[in-house]
Amino acid sequence: MPDVPPSAAHPDLARYVTRLGDDALVLGQRLCQWITRAPTIDEDLALSNIALDLIGHARALLARAGRLDGTGRTEDDFAYTRSEREFTNALLTELPNGDFAVTVARQLAYTHFAVLHYASLAHCADPELAAFGARAAKEVAFHRLHADRWTVTLGRGTAESARRMRHALERVWPYAGELFEDDDLLRRLAASGTVPSPAPLRDTWLGRVTGVVTEAGLAVPAPTWSATGGRAGLHTEEFGPLIAELQSVRRQFPGGTW
């Protein structure tokens, strides 16, 4: 990817790309915590591969953000040197893994959003971001199939697996709305034609996840509250330990190479 000259710096687009990169990085880190702990060896490999895809997305996006904001920061600088308040991921992506059903519910909500969002980016005015969106949408579509399959498997399995899946959906659903929030940044970018707003995707997203949940013999929750604040750097209490784990080696051995 060519360097962006200072005259081409785009602070708003840099912030937007950082949000997407943070979503992918944080969710990838959460999924990495399943390694050696997944219910089966196959799931250990499946979740590891999904995490690798997400971290690959994060690397591309955060490296681009460093060029767009004029700082020249690398993806490693974004991942390892920022404080908790400087991360702007949606709160959904940082939710603890919980039991396997909670991870499945989190993946269901996120992947259906990500496929729609990345597909919409494939038609945006920025050619580099459009190319990324087209590629990422195809990759996340496989993550979505994995989440769909497990939602139905758990919902239509035993009474216990159905109970856990129902509880997991109720746990995760209040955090899904933040994915579609509009704010001043997104409104400016959408008004300029730079990138589309995610807000119009919500009805399509709801229809698709409702279809999966219904097939699983369950019902989409109707939460009485909606979590927000991640885009502004306000995070859950579980976020600090996650970032400390992510940054531990870099902070212990600054400048180290392997």
Side-chain angles (χ1 to χ4, degrees), residues 1 53 56-57 60 118 122 130-140:
M1 295 182 183
D53 283 346
H57 297 168
Y118 286 147
F132 170 83
R135 174 175 62 85
K138 294 177 182 178
E139 293 176 350
V140 179

Side-chain angles (χ1 to χ4, degrees), residues 58-103:
R59 290 190 66 185
L61 289 163
L62 295 176
R64 179 81 195 285
R67 295 193 300 275
L68 285 168
D69 69 8
T71 64
R73 286 179 291 177
T74 68
E75 62 269 35
D76 287 344
D77 293 328
F78 277 91
Y80 298 130
T81 65
R82 287 183 296 163
S83 67
E84 296 171 33
R85 288 294 301 271
E86 292 175 290
F87 282 81
T88 54
N89 57 284
L91 297 177
L92 174 73
T93 62
E94 69 190 53
L95 287 180
N97 288 326
D99 66 13
F100 186 64
V102 172
T103 291

